[in-house]
Amino acid sequence: MSRSSSSLPEESISNKGFVAKTFIAFLVFGALMIVGWSTFKWINMQPQEAGALKPLRKTLDFNEKVFSGIFNANHLVKEYPVSQAVKRVRVNGMDGLRDSVNEASWRLKVVRAAGDTLQLTLNDIKQLPKKDIVFDFKCIEGWDQVTHWGGVPLKTFMEHYHLDKQSKMNYLGLVTPDKGYYVGIDMPSALHPQTLLCYEMNGKPLPVNQGFPLRLIIPVKYGIKHLKRIGTMFFSNNKPADYWAERGYDYYAGH
Amino acid sequence: MKKIVHKHPLAIRWFHWFNFPVLTCMIWSGLLIYWANDVYKIGWNNKTLIKFFPEDFYKALHIPYHLAEGMSWHFAFMWLFAINGLLYILFTIFSGQWRFLLPNKKSFREAWMVLLHDLHLSKYTPPQLKYNAAQRIAYTAIVIMGIGSLLTGLAIYKPVQFSRIAWLCGGYAAARAEHFILTIGYVLFFLIHIVQVIKTGWNNFQAMITGFEIIKPTVQKASHE
């Protein structure tokens, strides 16, 4: 160790100077602590915007800009062998599933434009090329589960039904038939190759509590975005309403 | 006349005191998030020694059912924690302050002597410049822990975009556990730190605010914390 780095600078000062220096330092320190505390109090006093304090909601929106900026459709979610998928899949909410549903009368309504709605049966969707995915499903609550799903990639679906103009819009919205649950998805995440319109779990038709007949599986998002029992699909350049984002959660909720 | 020694540069005092409330906010908001899936415990088989955390602890701190609130604070203050921490590291590198902080070859042996001295098991006072060997290890470890929190945090927050970081952490679930353990580490660090600061006394403590310490003619120049 060199001499210069092994000693701290020393100085002789008058008693008066010492008292003044100490006093000023503590004054500035106290003032900064008050500024810090007031900032915290100020944030806490701000009105809420969509269930979150306004400055924090603004930061969540800023985070969305940052992290959707680095989103890369080539970054794939890790897939697992089917044998690793759990048999007892966790059910974490029944919002939007409280009405009864039957396959014969159910239709997927795709709103191509105002007054132009495509109506599809489950069979129509099953005609498209199927993809299976076994991935680590993650909930914002902090738990995760390796689960096995099957369906048609949303990207394939949109190409098949010539939804090219729609796929150039900023967002895709999904709503349950009873309108009790709804999500908005940014288009790059919706068109991610692992995003599925899903009708199978563990190789069998979806159970009712997992969104029979058709749900969204979007591995690049937290569970809150994996809407169960899709009724209507629409496209928009503005953020579609989102159930949990209205209740204080991050709109983007992406990985 | 008084003789003083300039111990802590202004920048380091700023980083220290800015980090304190920010880290407190991160730990508090982290608790609000953790509560939603509070699976960690110390125990074996069906026997639980310590559950993180007992119901009374949650209730006393008003933790339950604030997941969304916790996330909104956590994902805002993460920027302040990360930026302040990175600036601190850059400052210590470019100012040469790292020389006072990084442990060297002798530090690990000396740290043992510091421990014995602090526990009043040995009368030998280990050499002390700005920081003694135990402090060098502790203050370097806390920086590594900070980097660890940042990396494990990113692995939980964006496990696909930062899949390499998640892989380094041993996967998503492992990253979450590591993130939690590091937080417990901060709390333990804090408790020891406070005890040591109180033990060492006013002259040492006030230096973290004023930057300088009085050199008492009879006492060794730099003291503990």
Side-chain angles (χ1 to χ4, degrees), chain B residues 150-192:
Chain B
L150 194 62
L151 291 178
T152 53
L154 279 173
I156 314 168
Y157 187 50
K158 303 289 167 194
V160 180
Q161 302 315 316
F162 302 122
S163 58
R164 285 208 184 94
I165 300 177
W167 178 83
L168 265 174
C169 297
Y172 177 80
R176 186 174 187 260
E178 289 152 12
H179 202 67
F180 181 83
I181 292 165
L182 284 166
T183 309
I184 299 292
Y186 293 132
V187 175
L188 295 177
F189 176 94
F190 177 75
L191 294 176
I192 297 168

Short mmCIF file of all heavy atoms in Angstrom, two decimals, chain B residues 150-192:
data_model
loop_
_atom_site.label_atom_id
_atom_site.label_comp_id
_atom_site.label_asym_id
_atom_site.label_seq_id
_atom_site.Cartn_x
_atom_site.Cartn_y
_atom_site.Cartn_z
N LEU B 150 -29.65 -6.85 -6.69
CA LEU B 150 -30.00 -6.30 -7.99
C LEU B 150 -30.17 -7.43 -9.02
O LEU B 150 -31.15 -7.48 -9.75
CB LEU B 150 -28.88 -5.34 -8.43
CG LEU B 150 -29.18 -4.41 -9.58
CD1 LEU B 150 -30.31 -3.48 -9.21
CD2 LEU B 150 -27.93 -3.61 -9.94
N LEU B 151 -29.21 -8.36 -9.02
CA LEU B 151 -29.24 -9.45 -10.01
C LEU B 151 -30.39 -10.42 -9.74
O LEU B 151 -31.14 -10.78 -10.65
CB LEU B 151 -27.91 -10.19 -10.04
CG LEU B 151 -26.72 -9.37 -10.59
CD1 LEU B 151 -25.44 -10.19 -10.52
CD2 LEU B 151 -26.98 -8.91 -12.01
N THR B 152 -30.54 -10.86 -8.48
CA THR B 152 -31.63 -11.80 -8.19
C THR B 152 -32.97 -11.09 -8.42
O THR B 152 -33.92 -11.71 -8.90
CB THR B 152 -31.57 -12.32 -6.74
OG1 THR B 152 -31.50 -11.20 -5.85
CG2 THR B 152 -30.37 -13.21 -6.51
N GLY B 153 -33.02 -9.80 -8.11
CA GLY B 153 -34.25 -9.03 -8.35
C GLY B 153 -34.60 -9.00 -9.83
O GLY B 153 -35.75 -9.24 -10.21
N LEU B 154 -33.60 -8.72 -10.68
CA LEU B 154 -33.85 -8.71 -12.12
C LEU B 154 -34.29 -10.08 -12.60
O LEU B 154 -35.15 -10.19 -13.48
CB LEU B 154 -32.58 -8.28 -12.87
CG LEU B 154 -32.31 -6.78 -12.92
CD1 LEU B 154 -30.95 -6.51 -13.55
CD2 LEU B 154 -33.39 -6.05 -13.72
N ALA B 155 -33.71 -11.13 -12.02
CA ALA B 155 -34.05 -12.50 -12.42
C ALA B 155 -35.50 -12.83 -12.10
O ALA B 155 -36.14 -13.60 -12.82
CB ALA B 155 -33.12 -13.50 -11.74
N ILE B 156 -36.04 -12.23 -11.02
CA ILE B 156 -37.44 -12.50 -10.68
C ILE B 156 -38.35 -11.59 -11.50
O ILE B 156 -39.43 -11.98 -11.93
CB ILE B 156 -37.74 -12.22 -9.19
CG1 ILE B 156 -36.67 -12.84 -8.28
CG2 ILE B 156 -39.10 -12.76 -8.78
CD1 ILE B 156 -36.76 -12.34 -6.85
N TYR B 157 -37.87 -10.37 -11.71
CA TYR B 157 -38.70 -9.33 -12.35
C TYR B 157 -38.88 -9.60 -13.84
O TYR B 157 -39.98 -9.48 -14.37
CB TYR B 157 -38.00 -7.98 -12.10
CG TYR B 157 -38.75 -6.75 -12.53
CD1 TYR B 157 -40.07 -6.54 -12.15
CD2 TYR B 157 -38.11 -5.76 -13.27
CE1 TYR B 157 -40.74 -5.37 -12.51
CE2 TYR B 157 -38.76 -4.59 -13.63
CZ TYR B 157 -40.07 -4.40 -13.25
OH TYR B 157 -40.72 -3.25 -13.61
N LYS B 158 -37.78 -9.97 -14.54
CA LYS B 158 -37.84 -10.22 -15.99
C LYS B 158 -37.10 -11.51 -16.33
O LYS B 158 -36.04 -11.48 -16.97
CB LYS B 158 -37.21 -9.03 -16.75
CG LYS B 158 -37.84 -7.69 -16.47
CD LYS B 158 -39.24 -7.54 -17.06
CE LYS B 158 -39.92 -6.31 -16.46
NZ LYS B 158 -41.35 -6.25 -16.71
N PRO B 159 -37.62 -12.66 -15.89
CA PRO B 159 -36.87 -13.92 -16.04
C PRO B 159 -36.66 -14.35 -17.49
O PRO B 159 -35.79 -15.18 -17.74
CB PRO B 159 -37.73 -14.93 -15.28
CG PRO B 159 -39.08 -14.32 -15.20
CD PRO B 159 -38.90 -12.84 -15.19
N VAL B 160 -37.43 -13.80 -18.42
CA VAL B 160 -37.25 -14.20 -19.82
C VAL B 160 -36.21 -13.29 -20.50
O VAL B 160 -35.26 -13.77 -21.11
CB VAL B 160 -38.58 -14.18 -20.59
CG1 VAL B 160 -38.36 -14.60 -22.03
CG2 VAL B 160 -39.59 -15.10 -19.92
N GLN B 161 -36.40 -11.99 -20.36
CA GLN B 161 -35.45 -11.07 -20.99
C GLN B 161 -34.06 -11.22 -20.37
O GLN B 161 -33.05 -11.05 -21.03
CB GLN B 161 -35.93 -9.62 -20.89
CG GLN B 161 -37.31 -9.39 -21.53
CD GLN B 161 -37.46 -10.03 -22.89
OE1 GLN B 161 -36.57 -9.96 -23.73
NE2 GLN B 161 -38.58 -10.70 -23.11
N PHE B 162 -34.01 -11.50 -19.07
CA PHE B 162 -32.72 -11.71 -18.39
C PHE B 162 -32.56 -13.18 -18.02
O PHE B 162 -32.19 -13.51 -16.90
CB PHE B 162 -32.61 -10.82 -17.15
CG PHE B 162 -32.74 -9.36 -17.44
CD1 PHE B 162 -33.73 -8.60 -16.84
CD2 PHE B 162 -31.88 -8.74 -18.34
CE1 PHE B 162 -33.86 -7.23 -17.12
CE2 PHE B 162 -32.00 -7.38 -18.62
CZ PHE B 162 -32.98 -6.63 -18.01
N SER B 163 -32.83 -14.05 -18.99
CA SER B 163 -32.82 -15.49 -18.68
C SER B 163 -31.42 -15.95 -18.27
O SER B 163 -31.29 -16.89 -17.48
CB SER B 163 -33.31 -16.29 -19.88
OG SER B 163 -32.50 -16.01 -21.01
N ARG B 164 -30.37 -15.27 -18.75
CA ARG B 164 -29.02 -15.67 -18.34
C ARG B 164 -28.79 -15.41 -16.86
O ARG B 164 -28.17 -16.20 -16.17
CB ARG B 164 -27.97 -14.92 -19.17
CG ARG B 164 -27.87 -15.48 -20.56
CD ARG B 164 -26.50 -15.28 -21.17
NE ARG B 164 -26.55 -15.77 -22.55
CZ ARG B 164 -26.80 -14.98 -23.60
NH1 ARG B 164 -26.96 -13.69 -23.43
NH2 ARG B 164 -26.88 -15.49 -24.80
N ILE B 165 -29.31 -14.26 -16.41
CA ILE B 165 -29.17 -13.94 -14.98
C ILE B 165 -29.96 -14.96 -14.16
O ILE B 165 -29.49 -15.46 -13.14
CB ILE B 165 -29.66 -12.51 -14.69
CG1 ILE B 165 -28.83 -11.49 -15.50
CG2 ILE B 165 -29.55 -12.19 -13.20
CD1 ILE B 165 -29.30 -10.06 -15.35
N ALA B 166 -31.17 -15.26 -14.63
CA ALA B 166 -32.01 -16.24 -13.91
C ALA B 166 -31.30 -17.59 -13.86
O ALA B 166 -31.31 -18.28 -12.83
CB ALA B 166 -33.37 -16.38 -14.60
N TRP B 167 -30.65 -17.94 -14.95
CA TRP B 167 -29.91 -19.21 -15.00
C TRP B 167 -28.76 -19.18 -13.99
O TRP B 167 -28.53 -20.15 -13.26
CB TRP B 167 -29.39 -19.45 -16.42
CG TRP B 167 -28.58 -20.69 -16.56
CD1 TRP B 167 -29.05 -21.95 -16.73
CD2 TRP B 167 -27.15 -20.78 -16.52
NE1 TRP B 167 -28.01 -22.83 -16.80
CE2 TRP B 167 -26.83 -22.16 -16.68
CE3 TRP B 167 -26.12 -19.86 -16.37
CZ2 TRP B 167 -25.50 -22.60 -16.68
CZ3 TRP B 167 -24.81 -20.31 -16.37
CH2 TRP B 167 -24.51 -21.66 -16.53
N LEU B 168 -28.04 -18.05 -13.96
CA LEU B 168 -26.94 -17.90 -13.00
C LEU B 168 -27.41 -18.06 -11.56
O LEU B 168 -26.68 -18.57 -10.71
CB LEU B 168 -26.32 -16.50 -13.15
CG LEU B 168 -25.12 -16.36 -14.05
CD1 LEU B 168 -24.73 -14.89 -14.18
CD2 LEU B 168 -23.95 -17.16 -13.50
N CYS B 169 -28.63 -17.61 -11.31
CA CYS B 169 -29.18 -17.69 -9.95
C CYS B 169 -29.70 -19.09 -9.64
O CYS B 169 -30.14 -19.35 -8.53
CB CYS B 169 -30.32 -16.69 -9.78
SG CYS B 169 -29.81 -14.98 -9.95
N GLY B 170 -29.71 -19.96 -10.64
CA GLY B 170 -30.21 -21.31 -10.43
C GLY B 170 -31.69 -21.43 -10.72
O GLY B 170 -32.34 -22.36 -10.24
N GLY B 171 -32.23 -20.48 -11.47
CA GLY B 171 -33.65 -20.54 -11.84
C GLY B 171 -34.47 -19.51 -11.09
O GLY B 171 -33.99 -18.83 -10.18
N TYR B 172 -35.72 -19.42 -11.50
CA TYR B 172 -36.63 -18.39 -10.98
C TYR B 172 -36.90 -18.56 -9.49
O TYR B 172 -36.74 -17.62 -8.71
CB TYR B 172 -37.92 -18.47 -11.78
CG TYR B 172 -39.01 -17.52 -11.35
CD1 TYR B 172 -38.98 -16.19 -11.74
CD2 TYR B 172 -40.09 -17.97 -10.59
CE1 TYR B 172 -39.98 -15.32 -11.36
CE2 TYR B 172 -41.09 -17.10 -10.20
CZ TYR B 172 -41.04 -15.78 -10.59
OH TYR B 172 -42.04 -14.93 -10.21
N ALA B 173 -37.27 -19.76 -9.10
CA ALA B 173 -37.62 -20.00 -7.69
C ALA B 173 -36.40 -19.79 -6.80
O ALA B 173 -36.50 -19.22 -5.71
CB ALA B 173 -38.19 -21.41 -7.52
N ALA B 174 -35.23 -20.24 -7.27
CA ALA B 174 -34.00 -20.07 -6.49
C ALA B 174 -33.67 -18.59 -6.35
O ALA B 174 -33.26 -18.13 -5.27
CB ALA B 174 -32.85 -20.81 -7.16
N ALA B 175 -33.86 -17.83 -7.43
CA ALA B 175 -33.57 -16.40 -7.39
C ALA B 175 -34.43 -15.71 -6.34
O ALA B 175 -33.96 -14.82 -5.61
CB ALA B 175 -33.80 -15.77 -8.76
N ARG B 176 -35.70 -16.14 -6.25
CA ARG B 176 -36.60 -15.53 -5.26
C ARG B 176 -36.12 -15.82 -3.83
O ARG B 176 -36.10 -14.94 -2.98
CB ARG B 176 -38.03 -16.05 -5.45
CG ARG B 176 -39.04 -15.35 -4.56
CD ARG B 176 -40.47 -15.77 -4.88
NE ARG B 176 -41.44 -14.99 -4.12
CZ ARG B 176 -42.05 -15.41 -3.02
NH1 ARG B 176 -41.80 -16.60 -2.53
NH2 ARG B 176 -42.93 -14.63 -2.41
N ALA B 177 -35.69 -17.06 -3.60
CA ALA B 177 -35.18 -17.44 -2.28
C ALA B 177 -33.91 -16.65 -1.95
O ALA B 177 -33.74 -16.15 -0.83
CB ALA B 177 -34.93 -18.94 -2.23
N GLU B 178 -33.02 -16.52 -2.94
CA GLU B 178 -31.78 -15.78 -2.71
C GLU B 178 -32.06 -14.31 -2.41
O GLU B 178 -31.43 -13.71 -1.53
CB GLU B 178 -30.87 -15.91 -3.94
CG GLU B 178 -30.28 -17.29 -4.12
CD GLU B 178 -29.98 -17.66 -5.57
OE1 GLU B 178 -30.02 -16.74 -6.44
OE2 GLU B 178 -29.72 -18.84 -5.84
N HIS B 179 -33.01 -13.76 -3.14
CA HIS B 179 -33.41 -12.36 -2.94
C HIS B 179 -33.89 -12.17 -1.50
O HIS B 179 -33.56 -11.18 -0.85
CB HIS B 179 -34.55 -12.03 -3.92
CG HIS B 179 -34.73 -10.57 -4.20
ND1 HIS B 179 -33.79 -9.82 -4.87
CD2 HIS B 179 -35.74 -9.71 -3.92
CE1 HIS B 179 -34.22 -8.56 -4.98
NE2 HIS B 179 -35.41 -8.48 -4.41
N PHE B 180 -34.62 -13.15 -1.01
CA PHE B 180 -35.15 -13.10 0.36
C PHE B 180 -34.02 -13.23 1.39
O PHE B 180 -33.95 -12.47 2.34
CB PHE B 180 -36.17 -14.24 0.54
CG PHE B 180 -36.80 -14.28 1.90
CD1 PHE B 180 -37.87 -13.46 2.20
CD2 PHE B 180 -36.31 -15.13 2.88
CE1 PHE B 180 -38.46 -13.48 3.45
CE2 PHE B 180 -36.89 -15.16 4.13
CZ PHE B 180 -37.96 -14.33 4.43
N ILE B 181 -33.13 -14.20 1.16
CA ILE B 181 -32.03 -14.42 2.11
C ILE B 181 -31.14 -13.18 2.20
O ILE B 181 -30.72 -12.78 3.29
CB ILE B 181 -31.21 -15.67 1.70
CG1 ILE B 181 -32.07 -16.92 1.88
CG2 ILE B 181 -29.92 -15.78 2.51
CD1 ILE B 181 -31.53 -18.16 1.19
N LEU B 182 -30.87 -12.55 1.07
CA LEU B 182 -30.06 -11.33 1.07
C LEU B 182 -30.71 -10.25 1.94
O LEU B 182 -30.04 -9.53 2.67
CB LEU B 182 -29.86 -10.82 -0.36
CG LEU B 182 -28.84 -11.62 -1.19
CD1 LEU B 182 -28.95 -11.27 -2.66
CD2 LEU B 182 -27.42 -11.35 -0.68
N THR B 183 -32.04 -10.18 1.86
CA THR B 183 -32.76 -9.18 2.65
C THR B 183 -32.61 -9.45 4.14
O THR B 183 -32.37 -8.54 4.93
CB THR B 183 -34.25 -9.17 2.26
OG1 THR B 183 -34.33 -9.06 0.84
CG2 THR B 183 -34.97 -8.02 2.91
N ILE B 184 -32.72 -10.73 4.51
CA ILE B 184 -32.48 -11.09 5.92
C ILE B 184 -31.06 -10.69 6.30
O ILE B 184 -30.81 -10.19 7.40
CB ILE B 184 -32.68 -12.63 6.12
CG1 ILE B 184 -34.12 -13.03 5.77
CG2 ILE B 184 -32.32 -13.05 7.54
CD1 ILE B 184 -35.18 -12.50 6.70
N GLY B 185 -30.14 -10.87 5.37
CA GLY B 185 -28.74 -10.47 5.58
C GLY B 185 -28.61 -8.98 5.89
O GLY B 185 -27.87 -8.59 6.79
N TYR B 186 -29.36 -8.15 5.16
CA TYR B 186 -29.30 -6.70 5.42
C TYR B 186 -29.77 -6.38 6.83
O TYR B 186 -29.21 -5.52 7.51
CB TYR B 186 -30.19 -5.92 4.45
CG TYR B 186 -29.75 -5.96 3.03
CD1 TYR B 186 -30.63 -6.24 2.00
CD2 TYR B 186 -28.42 -5.72 2.69
CE1 TYR B 186 -30.23 -6.27 0.69
CE2 TYR B 186 -28.00 -5.75 1.39
CZ TYR B 186 -28.91 -6.04 0.38
OH TYR B 186 -28.50 -6.09 -0.90
N VAL B 187 -30.82 -7.07 7.25
CA VAL B 187 -31.37 -6.80 8.57
C VAL B 187 -30.35 -7.18 9.65
O VAL B 187 -30.13 -6.42 10.60
CB VAL B 187 -32.71 -7.55 8.77
CG1 VAL B 187 -33.23 -7.36 10.19
CG2 VAL B 187 -33.74 -7.06 7.75
N LEU B 188 -29.68 -8.33 9.47
CA LEU B 188 -28.66 -8.74 10.42
C LEU B 188 -27.48 -7.76 10.40
O LEU B 188 -26.97 -7.36 11.45
CB LEU B 188 -28.17 -10.16 10.10
CG LEU B 188 -29.22 -11.26 10.26
CD1 LEU B 188 -28.65 -12.61 9.84
CD2 LEU B 188 -29.74 -11.31 11.69
N PHE B 189 -27.07 -7.37 9.20
CA PHE B 189 -26.00 -6.38 9.06
C PHE B 189 -26.36 -5.12 9.83
O PHE B 189 -25.57 -4.57 10.59
CB PHE B 189 -25.78 -6.05 7.58
CG PHE B 189 -24.74 -4.98 7.33
CD1 PHE B 189 -23.42 -5.32 7.08
CD2 PHE B 189 -25.09 -3.64 7.37
CE1 PHE B 189 -22.47 -4.33 6.86
CE2 PHE B 189 -24.14 -2.65 7.16
CZ PHE B 189 -22.83 -2.99 6.91
N PHE B 190 -27.59 -4.67 9.62
CA PHE B 190 -28.06 -3.43 10.25
C PHE B 190 -27.97 -3.53 11.78
O PHE B 190 -27.46 -2.62 12.43
CB PHE B 190 -29.50 -3.15 9.81
CG PHE B 190 -30.12 -1.95 10.46
CD1 PHE B 190 -29.75 -0.67 10.07
CD2 PHE B 190 -31.06 -2.10 11.47
CE1 PHE B 190 -30.31 0.45 10.67
CE2 PHE B 190 -31.62 -0.98 12.07
CZ PHE B 190 -31.25 0.29 11.67
N LEU B 191 -28.42 -4.66 12.33
CA LEU B 191 -28.42 -4.81 13.78
C LEU B 191 -26.99 -4.76 14.34
O LEU B 191 -26.71 -4.05 15.31
CB LEU B 191 -29.09 -6.14 14.17
CG LEU B 191 -30.59 -6.21 13.86
CD1 LEU B 191 -31.14 -7.59 14.19
CD2 LEU B 191 -31.35 -5.13 14.62
N ILE B 192 -26.07 -5.49 13.70
CA ILE B 192 -24.68 -5.49 14.16
C ILE B 192 -24.08 -4.10 14.00
O ILE B 192 -23.39 -3.58 14.88
CB ILE B 192 -23.85 -6.54 13.38
CG1 ILE B 192 -24.40 -7.95 13.66
CG2 ILE B 192 -22.38 -6.47 13.76
CD1 ILE B 192 -23.85 -9.02 12.74
#
